Amino acid sequence: CEVNIGIFSSLDIITSKLRTKCGEMQEIDHEVLQTALNNLTKVWEAADLPHTPKFHSLLRHAAAQAILFGGLGDILEDDVELMHQIGGRFEHRTATVKIEKTEQHFMLRWK
């Protein structure tokens, strides 16, 4: 039970720190993230769980990328998907616009 608590609490901290928007991560966030990753490694090994490619990526690459970009929150999959949806809605609204200047006007207003 202690191992499960350690795994879930570490994962919770890690995911919350990784979801920090780009450029908003502070030095204290780096330290908290690294501590949580170290704790996760210890409890993961104590539970004798396998090191999958996703787990390896989380441990070895995610923190470095979050520190490099100052956070990963706005480039994660769900945020990218949201931007695709917004772009799709805009494209749907302007798909029937035939006049080039009007289409450019819509584009400028959207930005």
Side-chain angles (χ1 to χ4, degrees), residues 8-19:
F8 292 127
S9 62
S10 295
L11 284 172
D12 185 46
I13 293 168
I14 292 165
T15 54
S16 70
K17 293 302 176 190
L18 291 177
R19 291 191 63 78

Side-chain angles (χ1 to χ4, degrees), residues 85-98:
Q85 290 174 3
I86 291 170
R89 285 192 296 250
F90 173 75
E91 223 171 274
H92 178 72
R93 282 192 299 243
T94 60
T96 58
V97 176
K98 301 294 182 201

Side-chain angles (χ1 to χ4, degrees), residues 13-95:
I13 293 168
I14 292 165
T15 54
S16 70
K17 293 302 176 190
L18 291 177
R19 291 191 63 78
T20 303
K21 298 287 184 191
C22 287
E24 295 182 5
M25 189 175 264
Q26 305 295 319
E27 185 66 34
I28 188 71
D29 297 320
H30 300 168
E31 294 169 12
V32 170
L33 177 59
Q34 196 58 54
T35 301
L37 287 167
N38 292 340
N39 290 339
L40 179 62
T41 302
K42 289 177 188 173
V43 293
W44 198 269
E45 289 173 359
D48 197 30
L49 295 171
H51 284 240
T52 63
K54 283 186 180 182
F55 185 72
H56 167 80
S57 296
L58 177 66
L59 289 182
R60 302 292 175 241
H61 306 293
Q65 290 178 356
I67 291 168
L68 177 67
F69 295 115
L72 300 174
D74 46 356
I75 57 175
L76 295 173
E77 184 178 346
D78 53 341
D79 295 300
V80 172
E81 178 60 30
L82 175 63
M83 292 309 296
H84 285 292
Q85 290 174 3
I86 291 170
R89 285 192 296 250
F90 173 75
E91 223 171 274
H92 178 72
R93 282 192 299 243
T94 60

